[in-house]
Amino acid sequence: MNDFKRVNGELCAEDVPLAQIAQAVGTPTYIYSQATITRHFHALDQALAGVPHTICYAVKACSNLAVLSLLGRLGSGFDLVSLGELRRVQAAGGDARKAVFSGVGKRDDEIAAALAAGVLCLNLESAGELARVERVARAMGVRAPVSLRVNPDVDPKTHKYIATGLRESKFGIAMPDARALYFQAAASDYLRVVGIDCHIGSQILEVAPFAEAIAKVLELVADLRTDGITLEHIDVGGGLGICYSDETPATPEVWGATVKSLVAGTGLHVIAEPGRVIVGNAGLLLTRVIGKKQHDDKVFVIVDAAMNDLVRPALYDAYHAIEPVAPHADRAMQTVDVVGPVCESGDFLALDRPLPDVHEGELLAVLGAGAYGMTMASNYNSRPRPAEVLVSGAQWAVVRPREALEALWQDEVVAVLGD
Ligand code: LLP
């Protein structure tokens, strides 16, 4: 569900015609709907109603300060994976005490900053990391709140690059090793064991893998309790999928009911780390057709957004719906490749896609681009990253201007070195 809709055939973000934004800001531009983000956050929050819980939005999905601020004001906590994400949340006025710090390789300075900020917990991913956090906490004279991220070895049935809870993936601590590490953490004067965590992957469409993972984690929680280690929370990770084309992902309600039925009676506080399901369909990438060209029967629509702006199609073969912004009901359909100007054959937004016949100069909307769009954008081919705009009703604001060209090299130094 999203708030991009057609008014007299013309695509609008809430009540603002996209063409109006393009005229003022140019293209390519990411556009986010405040109403959609808000509704999705509430849907998840509601889905866990009845059990004590904290939604920790996964900042990596879309980290614009306006989006973080909005979610913070809605009551969200945050899932962080770097010092940069911590500082973004703080800059947006978010509450670091409602933040969990995940990630498979945290540096000492990141651990220290997270502890100084008073994060809710650090999700530890290895024995080495446990020792590192203990060392940093000792040096700071504090007790670090920690949770172990376990790897439940569950197949989330998603793209292999975004499956994280399989035995062979780099993430988490193998279940058989977790118990001994909990004992070690519980015995430390510089660690405070607060929870357990698992995140099995992203764009997961069914609830079964979540249920399987949570059930395994809860077995460990029960064993630990018998051993005298009582946890305060279970972090069930993120990963709930969205509809990009014709998928029918489990709804937040069904996901929430599954989580609640499994944790019922455990007394555990539930933390969840959703990213994509909150912002994915709340954002689109607005782009303009530069031109069209034909090789034999192959038609290319060349647009001003490229793989540096939205890498998901190139990286995961991901599908994003593409529509002309202008009314198009009466146009003939044509099968085309929608490609960017970057010098790689992998630079495409869509391949063999039936699209209404589009014209040079017109605007296209690439849908479902709110998650892992701007956050994965780069400057490849010395292309400035897109502008970002937030819309609410008839109001809109540029929440990040288009990067200036000079900004691409302003910190570079022409060092002319001898041998
Ligand atoms: N928690 C942890 C520890 C994570 O690693 C992730 C995502 C999330 C939560 C949020 O997952 P979500 O609810 O958004 O599925 N770039 C890829 C997705 C990578 C996901 C990485 N981890 C894509 O564009 O599909």
Side-chain angles (χ1 to χ4, degrees):
M1 269 277 282
N2 62 61
D3 294 83
F4 300 111
K5 55 193 178 195
R6 291 196 178 266
V7 178
N8 298 326
E10 200 192 332
L11 194 57
C12 298
E14 303 196 20
D15 301 330
V16 183
L18 291 174
Q20 187 186 318
I21 298 175
Q23 197 178 3
V25 183
T27 51
T29 294
Y30 278 100
I31 297 171
Y32 310 117
S33 157
Q34 178 161 312
T36 310
I37 296 174
T38 304
R39 199 176 47 250
H40 289 174
F41 175 80
H42 285 318
L44 284 157
D45 200 31
Q46 273 304 308
L48 292 177
V51 294
H53 65 273
T54 308
I55 303 284
C56 289
Y57 167 69
V59 171
K60 65 172 80 67
C62 179
S63 58
N64 185 285
L65 293 198
V67 171
L68 299 181
S69 161
L70 169 63
L71 284 162
R73 282 176 280 133
L74 292 171
S76 188
F78 300 94
D79 168 58
L80 315 169
V81 293
S82 71
L83 180 58
E85 288 192 348
L86 170 62
R87 293 293 183 242
R88 269 186 181 277
V89 164
Q90 291 176 316
D95 188 353
R97 289 165 310 170
K98 275 168 71 178
V100 296
F101 199 114
S102 309
V104 76
K106 306 173 194 72
R107 294 188 314 258
D108 284 14
D109 64 307
E110 294 182 307
I111 295 166
L115 292 176
V119 296
L120 194 155
C121 79
L122 290 139
N123 291 333
L124 306 182
E125 299 228 10
S126 65
E129 189 163 77
L130 188 151
R132 232 172 357 261
V133 170
E134 188 179 27
R135 181 165 43 74
V136 174
R138 184 189 299 124
M140 292 172 73
V142 299
R143 204 164 182 151
V146 296
S147 169
L148 296 201
R149 175 175 177 179
V150 295
N151 182 331
D153 192 23
V154 168
D155 183 359
K157 303 197 187 94
T158 186
H159 190 284
K160 67 175 179 183
Y161 286 5
I162 54 176
T164 50
L166 282 166
R167 202 195 311 272
E168 62 265 30
S169 75
K170 68 177 177 181
F171 298 95
I173 292 162
M175 292 297 265
D177 302 335
R179 203 144 154 238
L181 283 180
Y182 267 110
F183 287 141
Q184 202 180 318
S188 166
D189 289 338
Y190 297 100
L191 301 177
R192 187 163 59 83
V193 174
V194 292
I196 192 158
D197 168 44
C198 76
H199 170 77
I200 56 172
S202 196
Q203 184 57 9
I204 299 169
L205 299 172
E206 298 165 22
V207 288
F210 291 113
E212 198 187 329
I214 295 169
K216 284 189 177 184
V217 170
L218 286 174
E219 274 177 37
L220 178 58
V221 172
D223 288 348
L224 290 171
R225 189 167 292 161
T226 314
D227 294 330
I229 298 176
T230 307
L231 304 182
E232 293 164 27
H233 77 245
I234 177 170
D235 181 340
V236 297
L240 192 57
I242 63 171
C243 175
Y244 285 103
S245 57
D246 55 2
E247 306 92 332
T248 48
T251 59
E253 291 70 30
V254 170
W255 165 85
T258 306
V259 173
K260 285 195 286 194
S261 71
L262 286 160
V263 299
T266 62
L268 291 166
H269 185 105
V270 175
I271 293 177
E273 305 170 352
R276 187 189 316 263
V277 70
I278 294 180
V279 291
N281 282 325
L284 60 75
L285 176 60
L286 191 59
T287 181
R288 202 176 278 284
V289 177
I290 294 176
K292 266 173 109 171
K293 69 186 238 178
Q294 190 151 1
H295 294 167
D296 298 326
D297 56 354
K298 184 110 197 148
V299 180
F300 295 96
V301 173
I302 304 160
V303 296
D304 67 2
M307 66 188 290
N308 71 294
D309 304 302
L310 178 65
V311 77
R312 301 192 71 258
L315 193 55
Y316 314 113
D317 224 356
Y319 178 98
H320 285 269
I322 300 180
E323 296 179 8
V325 168
H328 55 82
D330 53 354
R331 298 196 211 169
M333 296 297 281
Q334 198 175 27
T335 299
V336 301
D337 284 3
V338 181
V339 300
V342 160
C343 306
E344 299 228 16
S345 295
D347 178 29
F348 58 85
L349 297 179
L351 296 179
D352 291 324
R353 180 72 60 87
L355 270 195
D357 190 14
V358 299
H359 320 294
E360 189 175 312
E362 81 165 294
L363 293 169
L364 300 182
V366 184
L367 304 177
Y372 308 107
M374 185 62 176
T375 49
M376 295 180 81
S378 77
N379 293 121
Y380 188 40
N381 277 210
S382 285
R383 291 168 51 85
R385 281 174 295 171
E388 292 176 286
V389 164
L390 182 68
V391 176
S392 177
Q395 296 181 322
W396 62 275
V398 175
V399 292
R400 178 182 168 126
R402 188 174 314 290
E403 220 164 18
L405 260 189
E406 299 71 29
L408 301 188
W409 56 80
Q410 71 183 4
D411 296 328
E412 296 177 21
V413 176
V414 181
V416 183
L417 305 179
D419 307 325

